[in-house]
Amino acid sequence: LTNADLSELLAREADHAKMPAKKAFRRASRRAFMWPEEAADLVRQGRPLTELSAVGPFLQKVISRWIEDPPEVPERPEIRSGFLTLSEARTILKKRPSWLSAIRGDLQMHTNWSDGEGTIAEMARAGMECGYQYIAITDHSKGLKIAGGIDEAQLRRQGEEIAAINQELKPFSVLRSVELNLNPAGEGDMESACLADLDVVLGCFHSALRKKEDQTARYLAGLRNPDIHILGHPRGRIYNYRMGLSADWPRVFDLAAELDKAVEIDGYPDRQDLSVPLLHMARRAGCRISLGTDSHGPSQLRFMEYSAAAALSAGIERERILNFLSREQLLAWAGAVRERSASNAA
């Protein structure tokens, strides 16, 4: 049994278990995607499964029994399908050792200015430890109050802090950005003049994410929003919690390619959005791809393994991925997108 198999078995046990076992099964089902080693390998090596996150003595007995006498693993429902485990991601990345090391930056993360735990300086130093040239700080915008969204005045003050940090950490660069909250009509919640001062703008939907009807119009409107460069975590899916939205994806990716805007692979383990099947469509459309970890603390920059593995698995060409660009190349692309949007608006 793989960790993905175990995750599904744990999720199904949670469906009919009583508290507190229900909570333990559900938590372990999610954490199985982050286990650095296959649980079956630990059993073969005689090591305790309690080395794995969210596995205590009770779950160790359950999982060991499954590994020793494997049950049939039912087909995963859509709400739990298409997610890579960390061990799967690392296996994919081993086939191209230079892939991960060539990434020059992370284009989505949060700080304690909104709902993150780390400071900008802490996130920057974590980026430096990854060998990056740059990171983009994408704290939530003011419309998402539940996530501590910041307004225009706060965004400007944050820019002053970023400027000071950049002076200290040269040649490493912290890019000014924001996770702009888009409504279903594709409209942002911040003044365009303020956004124009940023290096790059990530736009994301955070409302009406359980709609079952086709949402193509929403995505087309979001991409046509002249303020944004990247459409972040497009489907809005979350493992075993929310399926996310559906759309005519080839049409969405075709427009992104036409406008030379990017769609994101959010590497947060619970999101992994876009998924590999959708990335195959994006590759065929020829649109740009952005990799972001959606980190909410310095240690989570390691989630880049999920984004990078998904892109590699889908056969996305390095030339189409923003994160392989130098800082200067990235800013030149962002500037060209802005010019094109302004020209179209005129």
Side-chain angles (χ1 to χ4, degrees), residues 1-14 25 28-35 37-41 44 62-77 80-88 239:
L1 295 176
T2 65
N3 288 349
D5 294 330
L6 293 171
S7 176
E8 181 58 23
L9 291 172
L10 288 162
R12 288 180 178 270
E13 285 294 318
F25 279 122
S29 174
R30 292 177 57 247
R31 292 297 181 88
F33 286 96
M34 292 181 269
W35 292 344
E37 299 176 75
E38 291 289 335
D41 290 341
R44 281 193 288 270
V62 174
I63 295 170
S64 294
R65 185 172 68 248
W66 287 337
I67 291 173
E68 290 164 6
D69 184 17
E72 181 180 349
V73 181
E75 184 178 351
R76 296 172 182 81
R80 294 197 293 268
S81 65
F83 292 84
L84 294 171
T85 66
L86 182 56
S87 55
E88 287 173 331
Y239 174 80

Side-chain angles (χ1 to χ4, degrees), residues 278-315:
L278 288 180
L279 288 170
H280 280 288
M281 297 183 195
R283 176 181 54 77
R284 288 192 289 271
C287 63
R288 291 189 187 266
I289 301 294
S290 176
L291 310 181
T293 57
D294 206 349
S295 298
H296 285 67
S299 67
Q300 293 181 351
L301 267 70
R302 70 184 189 276
F303 294 162
M304 183 58 76
E305 290 177 280
Y306 295 94
S307 295
L312 185 57
S313 181

Side-chain angles (χ1 to χ4, degrees), residues 13 25 55 60 81-82 117 151 157 161 173 180 184 194-195 203 230 267 298 305 309 320 339 343 345:
E13 285 294 318
F25 279 122
V55 178
Q60 175 174 246
S81 65
E117 297 177 357
D151 61 22
R157 289 201 300 273
E161 181 178 334
S173 183
L180 183 68
C194 184
L195 299 174
I230 302 166
E305 290 177 280
R320 305 308 298 165
E339 289 178 11
S343 176

